[in-house]
């Protein structure tokens, strides 16, 4: 049969028991859409930090080698023994990659709701988006308004819903302003746009003068550089100004989470009247939403007893707030897709190009400002 | 005037700017009770770990010296420079001590509710209980049933409400069983009695074979010794058996909080079917409710993203649950004061005896099994 999207290439990541990572492209059949399903021709899927965790896993990419053919390239790399333990759950399983993306519906199931979507551009979250074609439930598709391209709609979920989720968490847990680390990232810039629009205080913690400058150009008001000698004083001053008692911490390890809590406590105590040996009576919270830094978290307790540190993940958060509030957040993303939630990409690559060592070296750095978009149908 | 309780002795703790702790007894006038107030002759007040924090603060008690007179002894001790920073909120302020206690009402205000309490034995929480007389609001007094002595009612609040608060927190936050460290303490024994009575799984972490034996004699079912080489395996096995995903950690610093989370994650994953690189989807929580160990908290993250560590304090907890639920917990304490919530004391001392170096050396060790009761009117 010669139906478009009958089969298509799909990117796979495999970690073998022998300690080797293999990234490859495989040809897979596209499942026929059931009654309430559609087939999406994927034309844009971003490489987010959360995708890299699955794509390269614990592999040491300085050992990466290219083989295969131009049409079906293969990348292999060694996984250090220490890293293999964390990989135990996925050993010898060929895993598709790509949390989110966008494309055009080219075939539909028999239901009226499915047929109504024929030809529409939709954003999709559901994994395996580094594929040429994906059969999806219609409930997993977010139809985009006329005039939005797949590239513009490719990042509708992870960064927009994470940044909106941070603001929503702030409101639900009774805080009035926010702290964000790795603040110059794509996500951090988005969070600045939301907070500026909604009039919410946001303290941006960056790691260089360049990152501070980047945030200044988009209008960020409170920027502190954690590499500056005056960091603790700068952060405390910004916390006094904003009243922020909730922080989202991208990196995970080290002493920063505890430092943020200590500076919050110091800021609160600037206005405290009565001595309490338990510290202030204001709850201070740090949520860790990434794990780039594998070092232990070290909390030097100088922030009283009203505090919490914990993990924060988008999907459990969306589950907690329920379908109606989730739909409200998604509607805002679509409405502001060309403004607040616009993503910028530095490269658009095909599946084959995504498996070139020169590109991997760039996107795997996870550097602020570098962002890749895969178009699985580029040149196809 | 020669009215009983017109004046009385009160224990005071003072940390001077010069870096010296001074514990002394002062004679203070008893405020006349207002309409809805009463005067309590305090006859029993326990020395809880939370009282020692205020009583000796950051002082180095190996430097303690006795002076003054037998009737009005004075203890002085040096506060190390490093400790002075944490004391900054209380410098040169003479602070009364003693969170809770019990006694008999010897004078009342004019309201009917106040007069109805004349002669009653009441438990009181309200600070400054290491005093011969305390003028209290009637709302701060918990009338005890006939046949309960002040000594029996002295510890109605801190340990009983803390242990009940742990179980209540477990229920409210959706966990089904508990972990407790320092499990052989007075509080830990109480928690065992509650959990045995209510049919709740409780994993007791102790630090010696003697403590394990002590808990076994009161019927504790799950006991693991953190000094045993098999600790991690023992703890994981007990977590699998009980399904505990909430821990209360008395000590604070070090690696144990993170170890508990890791063992919880391992216990959950024994039954997990699907690989998730974010770890299990079960929230695991450790609350730290004490700070004996001043070392930093070190969390080696091997427990996924669904976790939290935070401070837990009785009074914010009671505020959060509200008056009606607080009254329900207090009613249970009174009803089970001679059984579940019975406290045992190894010594009953006067205010003067509480300021003897030989006694301070014992109660300041905070050793499991040693518990002091002060009777401010002993011999008076």
């Amino acid at each position: 049969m010669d139906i478009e999207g009958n089969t298509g290439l799909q990117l796979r990541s495999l970690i073998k028991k022998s300690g080797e990572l293999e990234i490859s492209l495989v040809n897979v059949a596209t499942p026929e859409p059931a009654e309430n399903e559609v087939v999406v021709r994927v034309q844009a899927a971003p490489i987010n930090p959360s995708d890299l965790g699955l794509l390269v896993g614990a592999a040491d990419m300085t050992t990466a080698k290219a083989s295969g053919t131009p049409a079906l390239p293969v990348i292999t790399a060694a996984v250090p023994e220490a890293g293999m333990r964390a990989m135990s759950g996925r050993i010898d399983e060929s895993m598709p990659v790509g949390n989110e993306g966008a494309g055009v519906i080219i075939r539909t199931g028999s239901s009226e709701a499915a047929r109504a979507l024929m030809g529409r551009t939709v954003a999709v979250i559901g994994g395996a988006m580094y594929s040429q074609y994906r059969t999806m439930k219609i409930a997993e598709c977010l139809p985009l308004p006329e005039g939005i391209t797949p590239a513009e709609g490719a990042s509708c979920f992870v960064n927009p819903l994470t940044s909106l989720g941070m603001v929503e968490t702030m409101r639900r847990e009774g805080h009035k302003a926010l702290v964000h680390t790795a603040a110059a990232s794509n996500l951090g810039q988005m969070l600045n746009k939301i907070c500026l629009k909604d009039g919410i205080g946001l303290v941006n913690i960056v790691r260089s003068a360049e990152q501070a400058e980047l945030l200044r150009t988009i209008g960020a008001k409170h920027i502190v550089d954690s590499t500056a000698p005056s960091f603790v004083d700068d952060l405390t001053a910004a916390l006094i100004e904003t009243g922020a008692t909730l922080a989202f911490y991208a990196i995970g390890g080290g002493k920063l989470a505890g430092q943020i809590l200590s500076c919050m406590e110091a800021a609160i105590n600037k206005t405290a009247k009565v001595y309490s040996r338990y510290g202030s009576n204001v709850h201070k919270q740090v949520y860790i939403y990434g794990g780039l830094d594998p070092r232990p978290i070290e909390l030097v307790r100088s922030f009283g007893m009203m505090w919490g540190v914990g993990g924060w993940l988008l999907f459990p958060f969306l589950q907690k707030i329920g379908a109606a509030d989730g739909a409200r957040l998604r509607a805002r993303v679509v409405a502001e897709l060309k403004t607040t939630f616009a993503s910028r990409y530095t490269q658009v690559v095909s599946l084959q190009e995504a498996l070139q060592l020169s590109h991997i070296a760039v996107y795997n750095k996870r550097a602020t400002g570098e962002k890749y978009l895969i178009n699985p149908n580029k040149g196809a």
Side-chain angles (χ1 to χ4, degrees), chain A:
Chain A
M1 281 199 298
D2 193 26
I3 303 174
E4 194 209 336
N6 213 10
T7 65
L9 290 179
Q10 180 171 80
L11 190 151
R12 291 289 182 87
S13 171
L14 169 68
I15 289 179
K16 298 177 185 173
K17 209 176 180 171
S18 58
E20 190 184 56
L21 165 73
E22 182 186 281
I23 309 175
S24 63
L25 302 180
V26 296
N27 219 325
V28 295
T30 309
E32 269 310 292
E35 190 183 357
N36 280 305
E37 291 184 339
V38 294
V39 176
V40 181
R41 188 207 301 129
V42 183
Q43 288 170 236
I47 303 181
N48 289 316
S50 51
D51 296 309
L52 288 170
L54 190 58
L55 183 64
V56 306
D60 174 4
M61 294 308 281
T62 63
T63 68
K65 289 191 179 60
S67 60
T69 66
L72 294 173
V74 175
I75 296 289
T76 51
V79 182
E81 217 181 298
M84 282 300 282
R85 252 169 288 147
M87 299 293 106
S88 63
R90 55 170 289 191
I91 297 294
D92 286 339
E93 239 179 279
S94 174
M95 308 196 76
V97 187
N99 282 314
E100 65 181 338
V104 174
I105 291 178
I106 58 160
R107 211 151 65 242
T108 78
S110 59
S111 78
E112 207 172 316
R115 281 187 289 132
L117 288 172
M118 185 64 198
R120 284 290 294 270
T121 299
V122 291
V124 178
I125 187 153
M129 294 307 294
Y130 302 161
S131 305
Q132 290 188 297
Y133 301 97
R134 285 282 281 128
T135 304
M136 307 297 301
K137 294 195 175 67
I138 55 176
E140 295 169 320
C141 298
L142 181 64
L144 298 172
E146 282 295 313
I148 302 277
T149 66
E152 286 170 334
S155 296
C156 269
F157 298 97
V158 178
N159 280 349
L161 290 181
T162 299
S163 49
L164 280 176
M166 291 173 176
V167 172
E168 190 78 10
T169 299
M170 178 200 83
R171 292 200 178 105
R172 282 170 185 257
E173 299 187 4
H175 303 274
K176 67 170 213 175
L178 281 171
V179 178
H180 188 224
T181 73
S185 66
N186 229 289
L187 176 69
Q189 295 178 42
M190 218 170 254
L191 187 59
N192 270 284
K193 289 183 200 160
I194 297 170
C195 288
L196 285 167
K197 190 162 187 188
D198 293 7
I200 295 165
L202 173 64
V203 178
N204 293 278
I205 299 180
V206 297
R207 279 175 295 180
S208 71
E210 292 70 36
Q211 293 177 340
E213 186 49 34
L214 191 160
L215 286 180
R216 223 166 271 123
T217 61
I218 64 161
K221 282 182 189 154
H222 305 278
I223 305 166
V224 297
D225 184 343
S226 61
T227 64
S230 58
F231 171 58
V232 167
D233 292 339
D234 297 345
L235 177 56
T236 307
L239 293 169
I240 292 172
E241 246 177 281
T242 57
T245 48
L246 172 63
F248 283 90
Y249 182 24
I251 309 301
K255 291 188 176 183
L256 186 56
Q259 280 180 316
I260 293 170
L261 290 173
S262 295
C263 290
M264 285 176 176
E265 180 74 359
I268 292 160
N269 284 335
K270 287 276 174 191
T271 54
K273 299 276 178 291
V274 184
Y275 171 66
S276 162
R277 68 198 169 75
Y278 292 121
S280 76
N281 60 358
V282 179
H283 184 79
K284 302 159 292 291
Q285 180 72 40
V286 175
Y287 283 120
I288 292 166
Y289 70 96
L292 286 188
D293 182 345
R295 288 177 301 159
I297 301 167
E298 199 184 323
L299 303 170
V300 180
R301 276 172 302 158
S302 51
F303 37 73
M305 290 293 284
M306 301 289 282
W307 63 278
V309 172
W312 191 95
L313 273 185
L314 178 58
F315 292 103
F317 165 77
L318 289 174
Q319 256 181 336
K320 196 166 75 181
I321 69 170
D325 279 332
R328 177 171 56 77
L329 299 186
R330 281 195 301 276
R332 177 165 179 188
V333 174
V334 172
E336 299 175 30
L337 202 47
K338 292 207 177 191
T339 54
T340 316
F341 302 107
S343 288
R344 254 174 225 90
Y345 305 96
T346 45
Q347 290 274 356
V348 180
V349 294
S350 66
L351 286 172
Q352 290 81 4
E353 288 165 341
L355 267 63
Q356 283 175 11
L357 291 174
S358 57
H359 283 303
I360 294 175
V362 176
Y363 65 68
N364 196 39
K365 261 194 303 190
R366 305 164 201 227
T368 297
E370 281 290 354
K371 182 117 193 190
Y372 269 64
L373 190 68
I374 295 179
N375 176 354
N377 282 287
K378 185 183 173 188

